Amino acid sequence: AFFWTNSSCTITAKVRADGMIAIIHNPEINPFWADETVPFVDNVQTITFISVPWEQDNMTFKEIYPNMNNTCGNGACSVQTDESCLCSVTLNETHVFDSLPSREDVLSLKIGAFDPGTFSDSNITYSLIESSDEVEAYVSSDSGIIGAQSTI
């Protein structure tokens, strides 16, 4: 479930002809609730497209992505009525570091985190476990180690 629905939700990616993508949310039908999908996150109304780095052809240097010219990735994705492609996605969450990283290692990532206090509640708290002059590592009370996915 997401913050805007009580139902389970499937995530897909919509790929436009120019290679821009949008994250599409497909909540399961809940017989006790009307479809409360937030506007602009479904397949029809989405307006938030982002650029992603696609693999490039070695000869032409053109980006390779699902589109109408390649039948949406040779059938890997489904063709949509608006001539876009709708693709299944797989989310793989894993930790990055097993010990306190250097500043350079942290800055090499394409992610970030909110203040650890934002995630603390009556069940889980975050505390500083290790630090250097440039990096701090916070762990949750339910893990207590830097190598956990919840480490900030």
Side-chain angles (χ1 to χ4, degrees), residues 57-150:
D57 182 279
N58 291 333
M59 298 294 285
T60 64
F61 300 106
K62 289 185 177 183
E63 292 182 314
I64 302 168
Y65 55 86
N67 59 63
M68 297 304 290
N69 293 332
N70 62 22
T71 321
C72 286
N74 297 318
C77 303
S78 60
V79 175
Q80 302 297 290
T81 57
D82 62 357
E83 297 190 356
S84 65
C85 299
L86 192 63
C87 308
S88 298
V89 297
T90 301
L91 178 63
N92 184 11
E93 293 181 279
T94 185
H95 69 278
V96 179
F97 304 111
D98 290 317
S99 60
L100 189 70
S102 68
R103 180 178 191 271
E104 291 75 28
D105 288 339
V106 171
L107 292 176
S108 71
L109 301 175
K110 306 276 189 241
I111 60 170
F114 293 104
D115 180 322
T118 305
F119 301 106
S120 296
D121 61 23
S122 60
N123 297 321
I124 296 177
T125 58
Y126 278 83
S127 57
L128 180 67
I129 191 168
E130 195 174 339
S131 66
S132 66
D133 288 339
E134 299 177 317
V135 177
E136 295 178 337
Y138 291 83
V139 296
S140 65
S141 56
D142 65 340
S143 74
I145 60 171
I146 290 181
Q149 282 181 263
S150 58

Side-chain angles (χ1 to χ4, degrees), residues 18-70:
D18 61 2
M20 301 280 282
I21 70 161
I23 305 302
I24 305 299
H25 299 257
N26 301 305
E28 287 184 8
I29 301 298
N30 185 333
F32 303 105
W33 298 89
D35 179 16
E36 296 180 11
T37 306
V38 175
F40 312 118
V41 298
D42 68 359
N43 191 19
V44 176
Q45 300 181 72
T46 189
I47 58 172
T48 308
F49 286 84
I50 57 173
S51 177
V52 295
W54 293 103
E55 183 179 337
Q56 292 184 341
D57 182 279
N58 291 333
M59 298 294 285
T60 64
F61 300 106
K62 289 185 177 183
E63 292 182 314
I64 302 168
Y65 55 86
N67 59 63
M68 297 304 290
N69 293 332
N70 62 22

Side-chain angles (χ1 to χ4, degrees), residues 4-26:
W4 48 266
T5 181
N6 291 332
S7 301
S8 295
C9 193
T10 302
I11 304 290
T12 55
K14 184 173 186 171
V15 184
R16 287 193 319 206
D18 61 2
M20 301 280 282
I21 70 161
I23 305 302
I24 305 299
H25 299 257
N26 301 305

